[in-house]
C-alpha cells in the first residue's frame, strides 16, 4: 500500500477512533474510552419485534428504561418503537436486520457514536454532576438505560453494574463529554 501511495502521490491517513487511548481517574472513579463497536438505530412496530429479536439473537426490551444483552450484543430501549443496538463481539446487527422482511428501519450509526465507561464507587456522583436524572440504584437499577442530557449534550446512559455506567454520545461531542466527566470525577472525589 505504501508503494502504491508513493506512485500516485496519495497519502493514506490512518484513522484513530475518537478518544482513542483516553483514560482518566480520580479517587473513586475511572473513565475509559471503550473500544469501537457496531451500532444501529432501530425503529419498528410491535408486529415486527419477534422477527427482529430472532434475527438479532436477543429479545428486544419493550419496557421503558430497560435493556437486554446476549453474547456481546446489547439492545437499549429508547422509546415505544426505538432501540439502540450495540454489538461488541464483531457481529453486524445491520446485516442481521436486513434479512428481516417485516416492517422496520435499521440505520448504521457506528461512525457517529462513541462510548465512555464510568466505573467505581464515585460513578453515580460523577454522572449526577451533569445529568438531571435520578441515578440512584432504587430508580436506575443495573440494566436500566435512558436517553438523557449530560451537560448540554444528549447521551444514552446504561447502568452496567452497581458502580458502572456506559455513556454513549455523538463523536462530535465526545471530547466535551469526556472532559466534563473528568472534571466531575475530580469534584466527586473531593
Amino acid at each position: 500500500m505504501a508503494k502504491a501511495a508513493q506512485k500516485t502521490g496519495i497519502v493514506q491517513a490512518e484513522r484513530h477512533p475518537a478518544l482513542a487511548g483516553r483514560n482518566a481517574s480520580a479517587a473513586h472513579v475511572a473513565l475509559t474510552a471503550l473500544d469501537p463497536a457496531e451500532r444501529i438505530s432501530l425503529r419498528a412496530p410491535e408486529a415486527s419485534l419477534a422477527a427482529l429479536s430472532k434475527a438479532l439473537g436477543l429479545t428486544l426490551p419493550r419496557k421503558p428504561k430497560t435493556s437486554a444483552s446476549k453474547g456481546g450484543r446489547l439492545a437499549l430501549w429508547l422509546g415505544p418503537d426505538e432501540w439502540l443496538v450495540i454489538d461488541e463481539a464483531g457481529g453486524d446487527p445491520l446485516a442481521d436486520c436486513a434479512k428481516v422482511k417485516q416492517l422496520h428501519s435499521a440505520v448504521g450509526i457506528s461512525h457517529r457514536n462513541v462510548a465512555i465507561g464510568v466505573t467505581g464507587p464515585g460513578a453515580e456522583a460523577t454522572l449526577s454532576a451533569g445529568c438531571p436524572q435520578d441515578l440512584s440504584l432504587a430508580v436506575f437499577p443495573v440494566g436500566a438505560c435512558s436517553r438523557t442530557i449530560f451537560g448540554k449534550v444528549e447521551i444514552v446512559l446504561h447502568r452496567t453494574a452497581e458502580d458502572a455506567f456506559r455513556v454513549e454520545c455523538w463523536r462530535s461531542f465526545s471530547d466535551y463529554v469526556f472532559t466534563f466527566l473528568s472534571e466531575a470525577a475530580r469534584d466527586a472525589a473531593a
Side-chain angles (χ1 to χ4, degrees):
M1 188 87 153
K3 287 183 180 182
Q6 287 175 348
K7 288 181 183 178
T8 63
I10 297 172
V11 177
Q12 296 286 332
E14 187 176 334
R15 272 191 111 171
H16 298 283
L19 303 179
R22 296 244 336 240
N23 296 304
S25 62
H28 300 289
V29 67
L31 307 175
T32 307
L34 300 179
D35 290 336
E38 291 297 316
R39 297 172 179 85
I40 63 169
S41 173
L42 179 63
R43 304 288 304 256
E46 180 75 28
S48 302
L49 298 187
L52 286 164
S53 292
K54 183 177 180 183
L56 290 168
L58 54 73
T59 302
L60 290 167
R62 296 181 182 180
K63 294 181 181 175
K65 291 173 48 175
T66 61
S67 64
S69 63
K70 186 174 182 184
R73 187 166 281 181
L74 176 64
L76 307 175
W77 185 95
L78 299 181
D81 67 349
E82 183 179 7
W83 298 264
L84 171 61
V85 179
I86 303 166
D87 191 298
E88 296 180 303
D92 186 352
L94 190 59
D96 294 339
C97 288
K99 301 170 190 170
V100 175
K101 303 286 187 214
Q102 286 78 359
L103 179 66
H104 71 281
S105 169
V107 178
I109 59 168
S110 302
H111 64 286
R112 181 190 79 186
N113 279 32
V114 172
I116 302 167
V118 183
T119 59
E124 186 180 312
T126 297
L127 285 160
S128 292
C131 180
Q133 191 167 337
D134 183 353
L135 300 177
S136 65
L137 266 172
V139 177
F140 204 80
V142 175
C145 62
S146 175
R147 182 179 5 227
T148 187
I149 298 294
F150 185 76
K152 297 179 181 182
V153 177
E154 179 183 301
I155 63 167
V156 173
L157 185 61
H158 177 230
R159 186 175 220 137
T160 58
E162 187 172 321
D163 64 351
F165 295 83
R166 177 189 190 100
V167 176
E168 287 275 332
C169 65
W170 286 20
R171 178 180 310 278
S172 56
F173 298 119
S174 62
D175 187 59
Y176 168 83
V177 172
F178 195 89
T179 302
F180 194 136
L181 284 167
S182 298
E183 293 295 322
R186 282 193 282 280
D187 290 347

